[in-house]
Amino acid sequence: MPILINKLSVVSDCWTPYTSDALPAALSPEDHVLVSVSDWPALRSTLIASSAQIGVCAANTTEPEILENDLSRLNLIAIDFPIFTDGRGYSLARQWREAGFRGELRAIGDILPDQIFYLARCGFDTFALKDGQSPEIALAALHTFSTSYQAAADTPLPLYRRESHTATTAAPTNETS
């Protein structure tokens, strides 16, 4: 079972994967239902009508438009990275964040600790580590850099705008020479 971390600590995974033929007839608000993006169209109406928490697992090749109209209804989107050298999941995460997704965005699959800082910059909240990966190293990787120059999902203003915004909003001092 993979270790799951968020931006602060190791966390437990409360999501249960289901297929379209194994979905329980009755769902409660305590249920955290995770379905594949391919099962989503068939289960969409049933899940939206239920009171369950809804999550979708998407391949990094998923077209962002497939979920665009449902982003406000989803509590979790897990994006699979089949190999660590395939960066399409970064773009997909950023597109869904910019389209208004405010739920949990999870990176799963072949992710490495040295990618976690950049995954967080694209909007990922949680990271499923592979067996044998150290959660301590992965959590430390979130603090690889203290300042980022570019705007991103985790910091909407670039550094030069943050610096000038801070300078213009700072309270004046009464220093005399």
Side-chain angles (χ1 to χ4, degrees):
M1 172 180 244
I3 296 170
L4 189 64
I5 63 167
N6 65 12
K7 293 183 181 180
L8 302 172
S9 63
V10 175
V11 294
S12 61
D13 188 1
C14 59
W15 292 89
T16 305
Y18 289 102
T19 59
S20 56
D21 57 342
L23 191 68
L27 295 168
S28 72
E30 290 80 34
D31 290 319
H32 290 72
V33 177
L34 182 62
V35 298
S36 70
V37 75
S38 59
D39 283 337
W40 175 245
L43 298 173
R44 181 183 182 279
S45 298
T46 302
L47 290 173
I48 290 172
S50 78
S51 57
Q53 302 292 306
I54 305 168
V56 174
C57 184
N60 67 345
T61 57
T62 302
E63 293 296 326
E65 298 81 24
I66 290 175
L67 296 177
E68 199 166 89
N69 293 329
D70 296 317
L71 294 176
S72 64
R73 295 178 176 96
L74 299 174
N75 304 97
L76 167 74
I77 299 176
I79 299 175
D80 185 33
F81 288 79
I83 56 175
F84 76 90
T85 57
D86 188 340
R88 291 177 284 183
Y90 290 86
S91 300
L92 190 55
R94 181 78 190 256
Q95 288 172 312
W96 279 328
R97 284 292 188 216
E98 289 177 351
F101 181 63
R102 299 290 172 247
E104 177 185 339
L105 200 51
R106 181 180 297 179
I108 62 173
D110 193 16
I111 58 170
L112 302 176
D114 61 347
Q115 295 172 300
I116 289 178
F117 176 82
Y118 302 104
L119 290 164
R121 299 273 299 142
C122 291
F124 284 97
D125 304 299
T126 55
F127 314 91
L129 304 179
K130 296 182 293 186
D131 289 338
Q133 288 181 324
S134 165
E136 293 80 17
I137 291 172
L139 286 166
L142 286 164
H143 307 289
T144 300
F145 301 102
S146 60
T147 302
S148 297
Y149 293 108
Q150 304 85 357
D154 67 342
T155 310
L157 293 175
L159 181 63
Y160 76 91
R161 306 267 319 275
R162 283 180 267 154
E163 293 293 322
S164 63
H165 179 74
T166 303
T168 59
T169 59
T173 60
N174 290 330
E175 293 181 22
T176 56
S177 311

